[in-house]
Amino acid sequence: MKSSRRLFETLIGNKNNNGIAQQKIRWYYTNRREQQTLYSKISPMGDPGTTVTPELDAWLEKGKKVRVAELVRLLHDLRKRKRFYHALEVSEWMNKRGICVFSPTEHAVQLDLIGKVQGIHSAETYFNNLRDQDKTDKTYGALLNCYVGHRRIEKSLSHFQKMREMGFASSALTYNGIMCLYANKGQYEKVPDILKEMKRNKVSPDNFSYRICINSYGVRSDIEGMEEILKEMVSHPHILMDWNTYSVVANFYIKGGLKDKAIDAMKKCEERLSNKDGLGYNHLISFYARLENKDEVLRLWDLEKSSCKRCINRDYITMLESLVRIGDLNEAEKVLKEWEASGNCFDFRVPNTIVTGYCEKGSVEKAEAMLLDLKKEGRTPTPNSWGKVAEGYQNKGEMVKAKDSMKVALSLFVGSEGWKPNPKVLSGILSWLGDNGDIKNVEDFVGSLRRVVTMDRLMYHALLKSNIKSGKEVDEILSSMKADQIDEDDETKEILGLRHNETN
């Protein structure tokens, strides 16, 4: 379910069709040449703006074999990689072309994809148009997942009740969906009640059931309740304890300041890590960094590098963030060099982690130098990177450099980005500009800023101050301010009072 992944995947990974957490798939580059298959043809088409249907049609028209097993594998792969639009295309093509007769299982997959790509209404229409024999626990469950994924609590609970009445609420996956729904809506206190209902109805909870419940106690800082559920989980012979659960527990112990218990949970987590389980190593590295245990961070990093086939960018980001948190930027620089030599595709988030660290630790000049070097290499920094540099210079009282850095950040802004400049930094720069900048500097900065944020009182005040200092009229500025529905406050009146002083 989309919503449950959003809430939990940082701590507990992805789930398979049984709702059980799994390690995230790690993708690697290879030069090995293989015979082209339909899978190898479609899988690399990652642009969601493209359509895969013509490629599927062309494959068939060329008389090449289409194996159901290969299409199922492709469909599974696309869903794992969250390429839902393409997955829906493949599923619809299979159905339309009659590649295989759709059973309730295939209908459930297509219904789930319709809900993700086209929304609830389309999913409901598809479900209602199914034959009665195809309306089984699987298709009912897929529609429930759709409601849960869109956080529609009334529809979810109504549909869940219907499944109860029809005897379809018989799997852990169904109950897990409702628990995720309550968790995603912040109603954590209702999660344990669903677990109790499962057990009353003789439905065996799985790992994910217990993990959602453990999380529900943890977010409410109910450590005792969390430990009771963990104890129950461990006692069940059908439950295979995995690293994900102990990772969740360790996280809440750290948040609660229970260091010894956290370390014990982390040791149990590490004992259950399999080879090549980079996600698990990432969690442990982050946890030990939060405990400021540098030795364990470095030990686990060495273990990860020796265990995993290849460290991906996410692994490097986690390690760099951990070293920055600990404050060891020298070690972070070594890891950055390892990444540069790794052959991984360039991801600006990797060096940006050190840029942020430099700024936080007062080495803002190093951060700026790194950004300029990256620019020389043809890499375009993000607005956020230069925004951090601006903040670093402001913290050092170097306002000219803070202003210049923020201007660079603003120049890199693209309208679709979610980045917004730090209000505190903007306030400091605008206040300084109003007191020290000339009209041209102030107008240039405000002009750049208004591309990113709407005009506000601080921006108008800076313009008023600079114009009054230069002996200019400000009636037009005041009119614009009024048009933007920004009333004059005491500070505005104080600024306007400067006109008399400047005249004198």
Side-chain angles (χ1 to χ4, degrees):
M1 289 170 290
K2 180 178 180 180
S3 58
S4 63
R5 282 196 298 270
R6 184 185 306 118
L7 178 66
F8 297 115
E9 70 176 358
T10 301
L11 287 176
I12 58 181
N14 288 332
K15 306 185 298 300
N16 62 18
N17 290 333
N18 294 316
I20 300 174
Q22 295 180 316
Q23 177 191 0
K24 287 187 177 179
I25 293 178
R26 298 163 67 84
W27 302 97
Y28 306 104
Y29 173 77
T30 176
N31 284 319
R32 186 174 61 183
R33 290 182 177 274
E34 296 180 347
Q35 183 178 358
Q36 190 179 63
T37 62
L38 184 56
Y39 178 89
S40 65
K41 184 79 172 174
I42 302 298
S43 184
M45 296 175 63
D47 183 358
T50 62
T51 175
V52 300
T53 302
E55 293 291 343
L56 293 167
D57 288 335
W59 187 270
L60 204 60
E61 288 163 6
K62 289 176 182 177
K64 296 185 178 182
K65 290 183 179 180
V66 177
R67 296 180 176 86
V68 174
E70 186 177 15
L71 286 170
V72 170
R73 176 192 171 205
L74 175 61
L75 199 55
H76 181 74
D77 170 56
L78 293 172
R79 293 176 74 198
K80 280 282 186 181
R81 294 161 68 183
K82 300 184 180 180
R83 289 171 54 185
F84 302 122
Y85 179 80
H86 288 161
L88 179 58
E89 279 192 286
V90 173
S91 179
E92 289 178 334
W93 185 82
M94 289 171 64
N95 197 6
K96 181 180 178 182
R97 288 281 190 169
I99 301 298
C100 69
V101 178
F102 266 36
S103 70
T105 299
E106 284 76 38
H107 282 302
V109 170
Q110 186 158 335
L111 199 157
D112 178 70
L113 291 168
I114 289 171
K116 287 179 169 64
V117 175
Q118 299 174 2
I120 287 177
H121 179 71
S122 295
E124 289 175 329
T125 300
Y126 185 85
F127 178 81
N128 292 333
N129 289 334
L130 289 173
R131 299 176 303 169
D132 288 343
Q133 57 263 43
D134 289 324
K135 291 182 179 179
T136 66
D137 59 332
K138 289 182 172 56
T139 47
Y140 265 90
L143 186 57
L144 176 64
N145 289 348
C146 178
Y147 290 143
V148 170
H150 286 82
R151 303 191 183 191
R152 301 292 290 273
I153 194 161
E154 290 183 7
K155 281 183 174 287
S156 297
L157 295 178
S158 174
H159 191 71
F160 181 49
Q161 179 57 32
K162 189 178 295 185
M163 292 180 69
R164 283 189 185 114
E165 294 167 359
M166 298 182 71
F168 288 161
S170 57
S171 71
L173 183 61
T174 302
Y175 288 92
N176 291 349
I178 299 301
M179 287 195 282
C180 283
L181 175 69
Y182 282 134
N184 283 320
K185 298 294 285 187
Q187 299 178 21
Y188 297 103
E189 71 283 354
K190 295 183 179 180
V191 172
D193 292 335
I194 301 298
L195 185 69
K196 291 175 184 176
E197 181 182 335
M198 287 180 71
K199 292 183 286 189
R200 282 199 307 270
N201 293 338
K202 304 282 192 283
V203 177
S204 297
D206 60 18
N207 292 56
F208 192 55
S209 311
Y210 280 114
R211 223 165 9 251
I212 301 169
C213 201
I214 285 171
N215 184 77
S216 74
Y217 281 108
V219 295
R220 290 180 287 149
S221 301
D222 185 348
I223 299 299
E224 185 178 344
M226 181 184 78
E227 290 176 335
E228 282 296 316
I229 294 294
L230 178 64
K231 183 178 178 181
E232 178 185 324
M233 183 180 181
V234 171
S235 70
H236 277 291
H238 75 281
I239 293 290
L240 180 64
M241 296 300 296
D242 54 17
W243 69 262
N244 310 73
T245 301
Y246 287 110
S247 175
V248 175
V249 171
N251 175 56
F252 289 118
Y253 279 145
I254 293 172
K255 284 184 176 180
L258 301 170
K259 183 177 178 180
D260 291 340
K261 287 189 173 185
I263 291 174
D264 180 61
M266 288 152 66
K267 287 179 179 177
K268 290 176 179 176
C269 176
E270 185 178 347
E271 288 170 3
R272 287 159 177 81
L273 283 180
S274 62
N275 287 337
K276 303 180 182 179
D277 206 336
L279 183 61
Y281 282 110
N282 287 350
H283 286 174
L284 287 172
I285 287 170
S286 296
F287 291 157
Y288 278 113
R290 286 162 63 185
L291 296 176
E292 298 184 346
N293 191 327
K294 176 183 169 183
D295 290 341
E296 284 297 296
V297 167
L298 295 177
R299 180 184 69 82
L300 285 161
W301 177 238
D302 286 338
L303 271 177
E304 179 176 3
K305 288 188 291 184
S306 63
S307 299
C308 297
K309 179 179 178 182
R310 179 176 179 177
C311 289
I312 60 176
N313 288 342
R314 178 65 259 178
D315 304 329
Y316 284 104
I317 292 171
T318 298
M319 185 58 183
L320 290 170
E321 287 174 343
S322 298
L323 291 171
V324 166
R325 178 188 283 270
I326 293 170
D328 193 338
L329 291 177
N330 290 332
E331 194 66 41
E333 289 168 354
K334 294 178 185 177
V335 173
L336 184 64
K337 283 185 171 60
E338 289 179 23
W339 169 73
E340 290 171 345
S342 70
N344 287 2
C345 64
F346 184 83
D347 183 340
F348 197 84
R349 293 176 302 167
V350 181
N352 191 54
T353 305
I354 291 192
V355 168
T356 301
Y358 283 145
C359 293
E360 291 175 350
K361 305 303 178 183
S363 300
V364 64
E365 294 84 3
K366 280 190 172 183
E368 182 177 16
M370 179 178 284
L371 292 178
L372 292 174
D373 287 342
L374 287 168
K375 184 180 178 182
K376 289 177 184 177
E377 295 170 7
R379 309 295 187 182
T380 302
T382 62
N384 178 62
S385 303
W386 280 101
K388 288 288 186 182
V389 171
E391 183 178 354
Y393 277 127
Q394 186 190 55
N395 291 338
K396 296 182 72 171
E398 299 185 39
M399 297 308 297
V400 174
K401 290 183 177 180
K403 182 262 296 180
D404 291 342
S405 299
M406 183 58 75
K407 277 200 71 175
V408 176
L410 296 171
S411 71
L412 294 170
F413 176 77
V414 178
S416 61
E417 291 178 3
W419 173 78
K420 292 293 181 186
N422 186 325
K424 184 178 178 182
V425 178
L426 286 184
S427 175
I429 292 173
L430 287 168
S431 178
W432 174 81
L433 273 174
D435 293 333
N436 302 279
D438 57 31
I439 290 180
K440 185 177 185 308
N441 276 327
V442 175
E443 289 180 345
D444 283 350
F445 187 79
V446 171
S448 298
L449 184 56
R450 68 186 305 170
R451 289 179 53 248
V452 180
V453 300
T454 55
M455 287 292 292
D456 62 15
R457 190 183 305 278
L458 288 172
M459 294 159 72
Y460 276 117
H461 281 180
L463 290 169
L464 287 171
K465 284 180 182 179
S466 61
N467 276 268
I468 288 172
K469 282 192 303 181
S470 300
K472 304 289 186 181
E473 292 295 329
V474 294
D475 292 343
E476 189 174 335
I477 297 174
L478 291 171
S479 296
S480 296
M481 189 172 170
K482 186 174 181 181
D484 285 334
Q485 298 183 331
I486 300 175
D487 298 328
E488 296 181 15
D489 62 3
D490 290 340
E491 186 178 356
T492 312
K493 293 173 182 175
E494 185 178 337
I495 293 170
L496 293 176
L498 294 173
R499 286 183 292 187
H500 177 69
N501 295 335
E502 292 296 334
T503 302
N504 289 339

